[in-house]
Amino acid sequence: MTGSYDVVIVGGGHNGLVCAAYLGRAKRRVLVVEAAAGLGGCAVSAEFAPGFTVSAGAHILHLLHPKVARDLDLAGHGLRYANADMPTVALDPGGKHLVLPGALTADGSLAAHSASDAANLAALRRRLMRFAGLVREFQGTVPPRLGGGGWKDRLKLGKMAWRVRRLGRDDMREFLRIVLINIADVLDDELESDLLKGAIGLDAVLGTGLGPRSPNSVFSLLYRLAGEANGTPGALALPEGGMGAVTGAMAKAAEAAGAALRTDAAVTRIVVEDDRAAGVELASGEVVRAGAVVSNADPKTTFLTLLGAEHLDTGFVRRIANIRARGRAAKLHLALDARPEFTGLEAAHLGGRLVIAPSLDYVERAFNPSKYGEYSPAPAIEITIPSITDRTLAPEGKHVLSAVVQYAPYALKGGWDAARDDFADTVVETIARYAPGLERLVVARELLTPVDIERRFGVSGGHWHHGELAPDQLLMMRPVPGAGRYDTPLPGLYLCGAGSHPGGGVMGAAGMNAARRLIECEARR
Ligand SMILES: Cc1cc2nc3c(=O)[nH]c(=O)nc-3n(C[C@H](O)[C@H](O)[C@H](O)COP(=O)(O)OP(=O)(O)OC[C@H]3O[C@@H](n4cnc5c(N)ncnc54)[C@H](O)[C@@H]3O)c2cc1C
């Protein structure tokens, strides 16, 4: 038995760290216990070959909630950008690449693909960024109760409706028309360039189990556009030193607020006494007592593994078991002997985000096999070469390439052990079509399938949002009704991870909102 804390947090992913920092600032005695040898969860930097470091999970910072960055003074705790506003380059198989310097904006290269799209894209951008602003407003708040709440909940619901109404009649109608439909229909209505539509379509499905023709893919695009980097809405950034620099700054902020952080401390059980969470038991057998337990682990792990169904009613257990949380994104890391060359790509753009999604059909065809437990023979890919702008990541003259690859289903027919190498070859060959000779530069490689992501980061299903961002798993229904406001059916147990509102991505909003909710609930005891 070890000393008692006000709050013990299971997991030192970025949301656990943010939650710890806010609770520490509110004068709670907090302990974070993390199973892995290091902090950060899916937002870490790791050396995958001697001298080559990469952001091992998340690789682009574009969702960090500005209030979290400000309140925790992440810049003061050492967060720097190697690239604060990366362009996106939609790679064209013929070398006529399209450069998008900001979110949904293109430079003169668009004219080579469509004369009319420049004007049409500007109009689409104005509307989508406005709608994304609405999504952003909801991300930083605890969702209201749907029924049985008090005046505060009714006020919050009223505010939500008012914010939609405030869009004005035309935009409100358009928002309600498109928010739950598929991105391919919207893009086909508005634009003609296949390359442009493919790149935007990929953004709408990255990290999800959707294809561009799946319902709800407009919402997932808005979720992405709701983010910002370094104060610029929709911008994409690379932290200096990789994503571990972000969680490193968060850990420093938590410690500065008085939180204690322990690694190599896997929780095996949430301790329940008198029908209330009373602490955690670690793999070593040590019991840490606390007035409340906050879980940064995903909802299935939290309720089914660490708490146990015997403490919950059967309807709740069924809802948790049915959360859709099977990842379809893989991650490939390449250690390169020299800088790769992409046909037709100016060197100045190599430090941007390069996407292989030449049309909506290409992305949809990449998606199709994953529905049947097969990986894409021609995957859609988001590539960064962070060592172009951050020389801390690779030896002099050498480079690292980091790629998110869609689609690699968690439950691959025949299992990943037999297919991992073949899929890695497929991905390298696909990139090499745009960067001839790439294969010869590869000195080491690492492929993380959703099964590897599950093992390495402790996320069941290997899903980067800890659960799909679908209408039945959003807001006060995330992860499930009954646990949609961070408190759970077990008094004293709270959630703070990507599985709760607003979802995944390196944002910190779930951790911030959970701390607020815990303080509110515990004040009522
Ligand atoms: C391959 C990949 C690429 C991604 N790319 C991006 C991107 O480019 N940009 C972006 O914004 N987002 C990206 N994401 C999503 C983002 O990384 C996650 O949504 C986010 O990091 C989740 O943070 P979290 O703190 O909620 O949970 P996690 O990061 O999953 O942290 C949970 C922590 O809990 C710990 N834990 C679990 N069980 C226990 C236990 N029993 N005892 C103790 N500790 C435990 C885990 O070890 C882990 O550290 C990506 C994710 C993946 C996997």
Side-chain angles (χ1 to χ4, degrees), residues 111-162:
H113 298 272
S114 161
S116 63
D117 271 2
N120 293 340
L121 182 64
L124 181 66
R125 176 182 207 278
R126 186 199 63 77
R127 221 174 320 126
L128 291 183
M129 292 308 278
R130 208 156 170 230
F131 299 164
L134 205 58
V135 174
R136 187 181 314 129
E137 289 191 47
F138 298 145
Q139 287 174 335
T141 62
V142 177
R145 265 184 216 91
L146 260 190
W151 64 269
K152 273 193 186 161
D153 294 294
R154 284 198 291 277
L155 186 68
K156 230 178 209 180
L157 279 169
K159 266 192 193 160
M160 285 170 117
W162 168 243

Side-chain angles (χ1 to χ4, degrees), residues 9-17 33-36 38-43 56-64 207 224 243 265-269 282 295-298 301 306 329-331 382 403-404 448 453 456-459 462-466 496-499 503-507 510:
I9 299 181
V10 182
H14 85 284
N15 275 312
L17 296 169
V33 278
E34 165 56 47
L39 296 162
C42 299
H59 65 171
I60 298 178
L61 190 67
H62 58 106
L63 289 171
L64 180 60
R224 191 179 168 89
M243 213 40 113
V267 171
T268 50
R269 184 171 72 90
L282 305 180
S295 180
N296 182 196
D298 64 88
T301 302
L306 302 180
K331 190 84 192 300
E382 175 192 69
V404 170
L448 301 179
I453 290 167
R456 177 151 172 188
F457 301 117
V459 178
H463 195 294
W464 82 12
H465 288 286
H466 291 192
C496 77
V506 182
M507 188 187 290

Side-chain angles (χ1 to χ4, degrees), residues 369-429:
S370 72
K371 294 185 274 190
Y372 311 104
E374 291 156 18
Y375 65 68
S376 314
I381 308 175
E382 175 192 69
I383 302 163
T384 62
I385 309 170
S387 47
I388 297 284
T389 47
D390 185 351
R391 289 308 312 157
T392 65
L393 302 175
E396 198 48 46
K398 319 229 181 244
H399 286 276
V400 286
L401 181 151
S402 165
V404 170
V405 188
Q406 302 259 152
Y407 293 83
Y410 173 80
L412 186 78
K413 264 188 221 155
W416 275 108
D417 285 344
R420 192 175 283 102
D421 272 348
D422 287 347
F423 188 54
D425 288 344
T426 300
V427 181
V428 173
E429 281 159 22

Side-chain angles (χ1 to χ4, degrees), residues 169-262:
R169 197 187 54 188
D170 292 349
D171 273 1
M172 181 182 71
R173 273 195 195 146
E174 184 62 3
F175 176 73
L176 296 175
R177 182 181 78 83
I178 68 169
V179 68
L180 297 179
I181 67 170
N182 76 74
I183 189 66
D185 279 352
V186 172
L187 297 177
D188 280 338
D189 279 352
E190 308 271 346
L191 304 170
E192 58 180 28
S193 156
D194 281 335
L195 200 58
L196 178 59
K197 290 190 281 186
I200 302 173
L202 179 64
D203 272 356
V205 298
L206 273 172
T208 74
L210 307 175
R213 295 202 169 83
S214 307
N216 195 40
S217 43
V218 170
F219 175 79
S220 51
L221 178 65
L222 296 180
Y223 185 89
R224 191 179 168 89
L225 293 174
E228 61 168 65
N230 210 20
T232 309
L236 311 170
L238 290 180
E240 193 178 282
M243 213 40 113
V246 180
T247 41
M250 289 171 172
K252 282 190 191 149
E255 283 184 319
L261 312 176
R262 278 176 66 178

Side-chain angles (χ1 to χ4, degrees), residues 7-98:
V7 184
V8 62
I9 299 181
V10 182
H14 85 284
N15 275 312
L17 296 169
V18 167
C19 189
Y22 276 102
L23 290 174
R25 285 155 49 101
K27 305 284 175 245
R28 302 301 192 276
R29 285 167 306 141
V30 182
L31 172 69
V32 175
V33 278
E34 165 56 47
L39 296 162
C42 299
V44 285
S45 307
E47 191 178 53
F48 68 104
F52 293 88
T53 297
V54 76
S55 295
H59 65 171
I60 298 178
L61 190 67
H62 58 106
L63 289 171
L64 180 60
H65 200 285
K67 182 166 163 52
V68 172
R70 216 173 32 244
D71 287 352
L72 271 48
D73 187 20
L74 296 183
H77 288 295
L79 176 61
R80 304 271 178 278
Y81 294 101
N83 192 344
D85 197 358
M86 318 161 79
T88 291
V89 180
L91 293 174
D92 175 50
K96 282 190 189 160
H97 308 306
L98 173 61

